[in-house]
């Protein structure tokens, strides 16, 4: 159960960067993670074992979404097939703002830089293991791939700490790593007009998967729900990423950990907020064929779980057919992990 917290706890990961890690320190860190996931479900992680800075991350966003970034024409070449029926990519790539919905964000998504063996998709409309697509800039691609690799490594370390906190061997979640479908998502919420300040730009949701690591810019607006039904602001803490667990991991833990509701409201606008908001969630995901077992014995195939989660997404709708019959409507929802 989520508790009546009034701010998110901060956990230092400095011990993960040390050449030789003290066993007692790792046990303490594992207990700390267990505590936050059993109470708030959310925390800030600081002293990160990452080689790039917060500025580097948002520099990447600017390279894609900024005024000198990727042109609309090039973005549409990278758009998923739902948005551009002639394109090959179904699962990775660009998604444009959804006109007509209250959720005007655009995003660019990639999976692992490694080639994944193809897997029989639970739904023929999506190829979960398809290769990434990128704009022409090689340096943009390299930076995105580095970010993905480092966040995957960090997630791997967190998973072994979480395994220990459950009284299991540190390798307990190792089967999640084979052909992992983890997704790195660059997000841009365009600035909202003054009349819409404080309105929701990302509707309340829990993340559906295992573990999320979120880089957010300093715009603010992220809020997390506590047990008293109060929305607690989670502003940017310098040098941090926000970590939270998803519905599936809450289930894996037999309900010990909590997947907490969160949302984003448009921040009060000031002169330097012409860019809108950028955030970069990394969703740690097992492989499509991974059997995710809960402590209470339930099992789900991860690929099946993903496709079920997507049933509310715009990609899931038969847009091409609807377009052909002139019926294209407002999507039910945009992607939320
Ligand atoms: O943009 C944010 O800060 C949060 C995004 C988020 O919660 C999500 O994509 O699941
Ligand atoms: Fe989320």
């Amino acid at each position: 159960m989520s508790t009546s917290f009034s701010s998110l706890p901060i956990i230092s990961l400095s011990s993960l960067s040390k050449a030789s890690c003290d066993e007692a320190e790792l046990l303490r860190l594992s207990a700390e993670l267990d505590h936050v996931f059993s109470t708030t479900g959310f925390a800030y992680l600081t002293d990160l074992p990452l080689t790039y800075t917060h500025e580097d991350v948002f520099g990447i966003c600017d390279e894609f979404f900024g005024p000198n970034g990727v042109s609309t024409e090039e973005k549409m070449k990278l758009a998923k097939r739902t948005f551009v029926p002639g394109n090959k990519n179904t699962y990775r790539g660009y998604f444009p703002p959804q006109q007509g919905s209250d959720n005007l964000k655009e995003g660019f998504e990639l999976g692992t830089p490694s080639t994944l063996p193809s897997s029989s998709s639970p739904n023929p409309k999506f190829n979960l293991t398809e290769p990434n697509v990128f704009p022409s800039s090689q340096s943009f691609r390299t930076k995105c791939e580095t970010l993905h690799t480092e966040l995957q490594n960090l997630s791997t370390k967190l998973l072994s700490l979480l395994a220990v906190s459950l009284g299991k061997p540190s390798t307990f979640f190792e089967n999640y790593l084979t052909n992992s479908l983890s997704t790195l998502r660059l997000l841009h919420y365009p600035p909202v007009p003054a009349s819409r300040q404080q309105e929701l730009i990302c509707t309340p949701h829990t993340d559906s998967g295992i573990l999320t690591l979120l880089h957010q810019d300093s715009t603010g607006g992220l809020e997390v729900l506590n047990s008293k039904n109060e929305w607690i602001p989670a502003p940017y803490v310098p040098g941090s990423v926000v970590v939270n667990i998803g519905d599936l991991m809450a289930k894996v833990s037999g309900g010990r950990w909590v997947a907490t509701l969160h949302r984003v409201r448009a921040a009060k606008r000031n002169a330097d907020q012409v860019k809108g908001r950028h955030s970069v969630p990394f969703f740690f995901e097992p492989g499509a064929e991974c059997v995710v077992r809960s402590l209470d014995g339930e099992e789900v195939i991860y690929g099946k779980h993903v496709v079920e989660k997507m049933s509310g997404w715009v990609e899931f709708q038969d847009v091409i057919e609807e377009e052909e019959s002139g019926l294209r409507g407002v999507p039910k929802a945009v992607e939320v992990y």
Side-chain angles (χ1 to χ4, degrees), residues 105 185 187 189 202 205 207 212 214-216 222 262-264 277-281 283 335-337:
K105 66 188 176 193
R185 174 185 268 186
L187 276 177
Y189 302 87
C202 174
H205 66 279
D207 294 349
T212 306
L214 174 77
H215 280 86
Q216 57 169 332
L222 177 65
H262 53 285
R263 67 182 189 182
V264 184
R277 173 185 170 83
H278 284 142
S279 68
V280 181
F283 302 99
E335 302 87 334
V336 158
Y337 274 77

Side-chain angles (χ1 to χ4, degrees), residues 198-317:
Q198 304 282 289
E199 275 185 30
L200 292 181
I201 50 174
C202 174
T203 47
H205 66 279
T206 51
D207 294 349
S208 73
I210 299 290
L211 189 72
T212 306
L213 294 169
L214 174 77
H215 280 86
Q216 57 169 332
D217 70 10
S218 55
T219 313
L222 177 65
E223 296 178 336
V224 179
L225 194 69
N226 73 10
S227 61
K228 291 201 264 176
N229 271 339
E230 297 161 331
W231 286 103
I232 304 301
Y236 170 59
V237 167
S240 71
V241 299
V242 173
V243 65
N244 64 283
I245 62 150
D247 296 329
L248 191 55
M249 193 56 155
K251 205 165 167 11
V252 165
S253 74
R256 171 177 177 135
W257 298 328
V258 57
T260 309
L261 273 164
H262 53 285
R263 67 182 189 182
V264 184
R265 283 206 291 165
K268 283 215 171 71
R269 202 162 154 186
N270 57 38
D272 62 341
Q273 271 175 19
V274 286
K275 287 197 296 207
R277 173 185 170 83
H278 284 142
S279 68
V280 181
F282 174 83
F283 302 99
F284 173 83
E285 301 176 80
E289 274 150 35
C290 176
V291 178
V292 177
R293 249 176 230 102
S294 305
L295 292 184
D296 57 17
E298 267 190 65
E299 286 183 358
V300 59
I301 311 275
Y302 186 70
K304 216 167 150 263
H305 168 83
V306 174
V307 168
E308 269 166 28
K309 146 193 107 175
M310 291 195 296
S311 63
W313 289 13
V314 61
E315 275 102 323
F316 211 86
Q317 318 306 310

Side-chain angles (χ1 to χ4, degrees), residues 6-261:
S6 56
S7 63
L8 297 189
I10 299 181
I11 299 182
S12 164
L13 297 184
S14 59
S15 50
L16 293 185
S17 305
K18 290 188 189 145
S20 64
C21 246
D22 185 316
E23 183 82 1
E25 225 172 309
L26 286 181
L27 278 176
R28 190 195 45 73
L29 190 52
S30 133
E32 218 177 334
L33 287 169
D34 178 44
H35 178 71
V36 298
F37 288 143
S38 312
T39 51
T40 54
F42 261 79
Y44 295 103
L45 301 177
T46 59
D47 306 306
L48 302 160
L50 303 172
T51 61
Y52 52 80
T53 64
H54 190 261
E55 285 68 35
D56 295 333
V57 175
F58 291 100
I60 299 175
C61 288
D62 251 349
E63 277 183 52
F64 194 92
F65 301 113
N68 301 317
V70 179
S71 66
T72 305
E73 196 190 346
E74 199 177 2
K75 280 180 183 168
M76 293 319 278
K77 283 190 189 145
L78 302 170
K80 301 181 193 189
R81 188 147 78 202
T82 307
F83 306 102
V84 178
N87 287 355
K88 279 207 176 74
N89 49 313
T90 58
Y91 187 54
R92 304 304 190 184
Y94 175 69
F95 65 87
Q98 300 304 295
Q99 297 304 333
S101 94
D102 59 357
N103 213 331
L104 290 177
K105 66 188 176 193
E106 55 177 339
F108 174 72
E109 293 176 338
L110 62 136
T112 176
S114 324
T115 304
L116 291 172
S118 59
S119 128
S120 55
S121 176
N123 184 302
K125 272 193 229 169
F126 302 104
N127 177 4
L128 301 179
T129 53
E130 72 190 13
N132 291 324
V133 291
F134 286 102
S136 54
S137 159
Q138 181 58 43
S139 82
F140 173 82
R141 175 181 183 149
T142 305
K143 286 181 221 170
C144 286
E145 290 182 343
T146 305
L147 206 54
H148 192 291
T149 302
E150 294 202 12
L151 290 167
Q152 180 76 3
N153 291 342
L154 174 54
S155 306
T156 303
K157 288 180 182 158
L158 294 174
L159 284 174
S160 57
L161 290 167
L162 286 174
V164 170
S165 81
L166 292 175
K168 305 285 183 192
S170 60
T171 52
F172 186 65
F173 292 123
E174 224 169 48
N175 67 321
Y176 290 10
L177 304 176
T178 309
N179 303 322
S180 162
L181 291 175
S182 294
T183 300
L184 179 72
R185 174 185 268 186
L186 311 184
L187 276 177
H188 175 223
Y189 302 87
V192 299
S195 60
R196 290 195 52 197
Q197 275 173 23
Q198 304 282 289
E199 275 185 30
L200 292 181
I201 50 174
C202 174
T203 47
H205 66 279
T206 51
D207 294 349
S208 73
I210 299 290
L211 189 72
T212 306
L213 294 169
L214 174 77
H215 280 86
Q216 57 169 332
D217 70 10
S218 55
T219 313
L222 177 65
E223 296 178 336
V224 179
L225 194 69
N226 73 10
S227 61
K228 291 201 264 176
N229 271 339
E230 297 161 331
W231 286 103
I232 304 301
Y236 170 59
V237 167
S240 71
V241 299
V242 173
V243 65
N244 64 283
I245 62 150
D247 296 329
L248 191 55
M249 193 56 155
K251 205 165 167 11
V252 165
S253 74
R256 171 177 177 135
W257 298 328
V258 57
T260 309
L261 273 164

